Amino acid sequence: MSVVLKIKVENCIDCPYSERHQMVTPDSFEHDVGVFCSKVEDDEREHHTYDGIITKKLIFSFEWPSEIEVQEIPDWCPYKNDAGR
């Protein structure tokens, strides 16, 4: 048996396919966290995080949770064009 669920996502951070990883920075006082799309590979660069090297596409990053603002869903989102389905 299978189930199809539809959800409305207005911000990538609320998407079930987003991942958060603390990024390695040259400054030990920085606590930059990257929000990545687990569905899209980044062919141009690898991202160094404390969880290892991440090859997924970086959506945005933030240093403190208070800096998180509603981010526009990027045009490259694999689900953006499926919104009407």
Side-chain angles (χ1 to χ4, degrees):
M1 178 180 182
S2 64
V3 176
V4 175
L5 299 175
K6 289 188 175 188
I7 61 170
K8 183 176 182 179
V9 175
E10 295 184 11
N11 187 338
C12 289
I13 208 159
D14 299 326
C15 178
Y17 298 113
S18 68
E19 303 175 355
R20 292 184 196 188
H21 300 281
Q22 185 174 354
M23 302 178 72
V24 176
T25 62
D27 185 347
S28 62
F29 289 103
E30 290 181 356
H31 301 288
D32 203 24
V33 176
V35 178
F36 299 86
C37 178
S38 67
K39 293 293 185 176
V40 179
E41 290 288 330
D42 190 344
D43 297 330
E44 297 178 12
R45 84 182 268 219
E46 297 176 336
H47 305 277
H48 296 269
T49 72
Y50 287 102
D51 297 322
I53 294 176
I54 304 296
T55 59
K56 301 299 182 180
K57 190 96 167 162
L58 178 67
I59 304 166
F60 68 95
S61 65
F62 62 93
E63 188 170 359
W64 301 104
S66 61
E67 295 175 344
I68 298 176
E69 298 176 8
V70 175
Q71 299 288 323
E72 186 173 322
I73 297 172
D75 291 335
W76 51 260
C77 172
Y79 299 105
K80 191 165 186 174
N81 294 330
D82 291 341
R85 293 183 191 172

